[in-house]
């Protein structure tokens, strides 16, 4: 609702899903609650299928409500049990919260490519020469490169000579990537169908997927998994779109997919945006039916070219002048909007501007409460997602 008015402002969800979008604000301004409101609207109105990388388990079953009382609010799985599936990297954590994952995630070493490691450079403190050594390993061992590398141990010197790489570079790569062995979901071998293939099948059927990380909440884990999964999705959607353009059959047209990522500047900073799959999606994937919903507190750290592709921006309070300048770059009357941003309350107020609204407007966001649950018609019906899963399989 606009401040000092009672007329609600509605996002045009058709236009919202046409491009990538951003939700920005400093820590504690309620970005997650705004994100949950928008995602609930997308699920309810079936405007796009969503893949949500849920780093802190805040979107699935329930989440803690900040403020007095500190009660809990319902997650998307609770509101839409037949339309949302939980994929869990930490099923034990999911069970401790009194819930059960629809799919327990296990990834193989063969799922990891050097391209997925590039965005981990800062987290792992990897030198570019170590990545060059990784490509030399790939040239010989293909998809088995990571398994072979981590099996070397004391043979690392002989291994480096075998592939024609510098010993210190291979040794550094080995030591840094040994950290990946602590992730229980990452296996040397995974039998049966790939969990990513299963995830794609859910999305193809219009089932929204929340990928929960549980106790695997380190930034290293988040970056790695998001890169692995999203790269495969990119490949799939490019193939499906080209197939649709060739056949021109309506039934071959892909469902719009929106990928939600938090800490977006880790994926979309100036270096990563040019090298990783998220930069490709932000710049080019709209024509392949894929867009991003980026949630971040440091928009100034996101590549300027990527920010220019953001269609709709929902901006809560920002204090840093660089962040304010970044979100308003390319916007008419930016000086006036900058003054408005500085006057927003810490919570429940946001400036909305861009593709999905006719003009910039400051709103008081609605409560995410029982009234909202009722308005979106999300009172839980008997049954669960099993009916949908039966149709998929």
């Amino acid at each position: 609702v606009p401040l000092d008015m009672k007329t609600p402002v509605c996002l045009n969800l058709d236009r919202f899903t046409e491009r990538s979008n951003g939700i920005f604000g400093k820590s504690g301004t309620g970005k997650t609650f705004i994100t949950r409101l928008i995602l609930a609207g997308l699920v309810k109105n079936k405007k796009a299928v969503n893949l949500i990388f849920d780093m802190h388990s805040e979107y699935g079953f329930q989440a803690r409500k900040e403020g007095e009382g500190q009660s809990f609010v319902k997650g998307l799985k609770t509101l839409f049990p037949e339309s949302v599936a939980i994929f869990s990297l930490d099923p034990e954590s999911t069970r401790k919260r009194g819930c059960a994952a629809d799919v327990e995630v296990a990834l193989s070493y063969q799922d990891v490519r050097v391209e997925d490691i590039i965005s981990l450079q800062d987290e792992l403190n990897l030198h570019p020469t170590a990545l060059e050594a990784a490509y030399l390993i790939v040239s010989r061992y293909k998809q088995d490169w990571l398994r072979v590398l981590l099996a070397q141990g004391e043979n690392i010197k002989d291994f480096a000579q075998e592939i024609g790489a510098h010993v210190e570079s291979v040794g550094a790569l080995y030591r840094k990537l040994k950290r990946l062995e602590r992730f229980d979901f990452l296996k040397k071998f995974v039998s049966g169908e790939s969990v990513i293939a299963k995830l794609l099948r859910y999305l193809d059927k219009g089932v929204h997927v929340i990928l929960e990380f549980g106790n695997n909440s380190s930034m290293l884990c988040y970056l790695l998994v998001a890169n692995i999964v999203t790269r495969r999705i990119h490949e799939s959607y490019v193939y499906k779109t080209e197939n649709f353009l060739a056949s021109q059959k309506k039934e071959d047209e892909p469902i719009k997919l929106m990928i939600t990522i938090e800490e977006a500047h880790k994926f979309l900073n100036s270096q990563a945006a040019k090298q990783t799959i998220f930069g490709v999606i932000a710049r080019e994937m709209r024509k392949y039916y894929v867009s991003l919903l980026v949630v971040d507190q440091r928009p100034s750290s996101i590549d300027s070219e990527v920010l220019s592709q953001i269609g709709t921006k929902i901006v809560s309070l920002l204090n840093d002048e660089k962040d304010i300048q970044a979100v308003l770059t390319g916007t008419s009357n930016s000086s006036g909007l900058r003054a408005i941003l500085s006057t927003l309350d810490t919570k429940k107020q946001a400036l909305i501007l861009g593709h999905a609204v006719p003009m910039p407007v400051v709103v008081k966001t609605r409560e995410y409460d029982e009234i909202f649950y009722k308005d979106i018609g999300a009172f839980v019906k008997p049954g669960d997602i099993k009916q949908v899963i039966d149709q998929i399989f």
Side-chain angles (χ1 to χ4, degrees):
V1 177
L3 301 186
D4 303 322
M5 296 178 64
K6 295 184 179 180
T7 304
V9 172
C10 298
L11 284 178
N12 184 326
L13 293 181
D14 288 311
R15 290 175 66 82
F16 189 80
T17 55
E18 285 177 357
R19 299 184 181 180
S20 292
N21 305 286
I23 298 176
F24 305 110
K26 71 175 189 176
S27 180
T29 53
K31 296 187 297 297
T32 300
F33 274 82
I34 294 175
T35 305
R36 203 182 289 114
L37 284 169
I38 290 173
L39 291 173
L42 292 172
V43 174
K44 169 63 178 177
N45 292 284
K46 300 180 179 179
K47 296 300 183 181
V49 66
N50 293 275
L51 170 60
I52 303 155
F53 290 104
D54 190 0
M55 186 176 183
H56 301 295
S57 302
E58 296 176 307
Y59 296 98
F61 294 99
Q62 63 179 13
R64 185 178 294 277
K65 181 179 180 181
E66 295 182 3
E68 295 182 6
Q70 292 188 336
S71 59
F72 288 86
V73 295
K74 296 178 181 180
L76 299 175
K77 171 69 172 178
T78 307
L79 295 177
F80 306 99
E82 298 180 5
S83 301
V84 176
I86 302 292
F87 280 53
S88 179
L89 290 160
D90 186 358
E92 182 61 30
S93 171
T94 304
R95 284 190 288 271
K96 284 181 179 178
R97 288 181 281 120
C99 313
D102 297 295
V103 176
E104 298 182 4
V105 174
L107 296 173
S108 165
Y109 283 0
Q110 290 189 332
D111 289 321
V112 183
R113 296 184 188 173
V114 179
E115 291 80 3
D116 303 319
I117 303 297
I118 289 175
S119 65
L120 308 181
Q121 281 182 269
D122 291 339
E123 300 299 319
L124 292 173
N125 194 24
L126 272 176
H127 194 273
T129 57
L131 293 174
E132 292 172 7
Y135 281 114
L136 288 174
I137 302 172
V138 170
S139 67
R140 174 165 297 197
Y141 293 100
K142 309 307 181 201
Q143 289 184 316
D144 284 329
W145 77 275
L146 182 60
R147 182 182 60 80
V148 171
L149 171 65
L150 296 183
Q152 293 309 309
E154 296 179 358
N155 299 323
I156 203 73
K157 182 176 181 179
D158 293 338
F159 179 68
Q161 293 175 345
E162 176 190 339
I163 63 172
H166 196 280
V167 175
E168 291 184 1
S169 296
V170 177
L173 183 68
Y174 169 79
R175 291 192 300 274
K176 303 296 186 181
L177 295 187
K178 283 289 282 187
R179 291 175 58 185
L180 303 183
E181 291 183 332
R182 70 187 185 189
F183 298 137
D184 292 337
F185 61 84
L186 195 58
K187 314 288 186 182
K188 292 181 180 178
F189 298 100
V190 176
S191 60
E193 182 185 27
S194 162
V195 72
I196 302 177
K198 191 177 295 184
L199 185 151
L200 283 165
R201 193 129 42 94
Y202 276 71
L203 295 176
D204 287 343
K205 292 292 184 180
V207 178
H208 308 267
V209 173
I210 299 174
L211 185 56
E212 280 194 353
F213 284 73
N215 291 323
N216 298 301
S217 57
S218 70
M219 186 54 64
L220 174 63
C221 175
Y222 188 63
L223 289 168
L224 176 66
V225 173
N227 273 305
I228 292 172
V229 174
T230 305
R231 174 174 45 76
R232 289 283 297 277
I233 287 173
H234 164 264
E235 293 170 356
S236 174
Y237 268 75
V238 169
Y239 172 80
K240 287 189 291 187
T241 302
E242 291 177 348
N243 182 58
F244 166 62
L245 294 175
S247 70
Q248 298 186 358
K249 296 178 181 178
K250 185 65 178 177
E251 60 268 24
D252 290 335
E253 185 174 15
I255 303 173
K256 285 183 181 178
L257 170 64
M258 182 169 286
I259 301 174
T260 298
I261 53 168
E262 299 182 290
E263 300 292 342
H265 68 275
K266 293 283 188 176
F267 301 94
L268 296 170
N269 59 60
S270 295
Q271 180 181 2
K274 292 177 174 62
Q275 297 175 299
T276 65
I277 200 62
F278 285 96
V280 174
I281 291 175
R283 293 191 301 268
E284 304 173 8
M285 284 300 289
R286 182 163 58 99
K287 58 189 176 186
Y288 294 110
Y289 296 85
V290 181
S291 61
L292 298 178
L293 178 58
V294 301
V295 184
D296 203 273
Q297 60 186 9
R298 294 307 307 269
S300 61
S301 297
I302 297 176
D303 182 68
S304 58
E305 182 183 353
V306 171
L307 271 180
S308 69
Q309 301 299 317
I310 298 293
T312 303
K313 300 171 185 174
I314 301 173
V315 189
S316 298
L317 181 65
L318 290 168
N319 292 135
D320 191 292
E321 181 61 31
K322 291 188 296 183
D323 292 329
I324 294 173
Q325 181 177 346
V327 296
L328 295 179
T329 298
T331 304
S332 59
N333 190 29
S334 60
S335 59
L337 295 176
R338 180 180 283 107
I340 291 172
L341 275 178
S342 65
T343 65
L344 295 179
D345 285 347
T346 305
K347 293 184 181 295
K348 299 179 183 178
Q349 289 187 7
L351 170 67
I352 305 178
L353 65 158
H355 193 59
V357 288
M359 59 183 175
V361 60
V362 178
V363 299
K364 178 180 180 182
T365 59
R366 67 175 302 166
E367 295 285 347
Y368 187 85
D369 55 13
E370 297 291 337
I371 296 175
F372 173 74
Y373 307 154
K374 183 177 180 180
D375 285 349
I376 62 172
F379 280 116
V380 179
K381 300 176 182 178
D384 55 26
I385 199 171
K386 183 177 184 302
Q387 300 170 4
V388 181
I389 293 175
D390 288 343
Q391 294 175 11
I392 295 175
F393 295 100

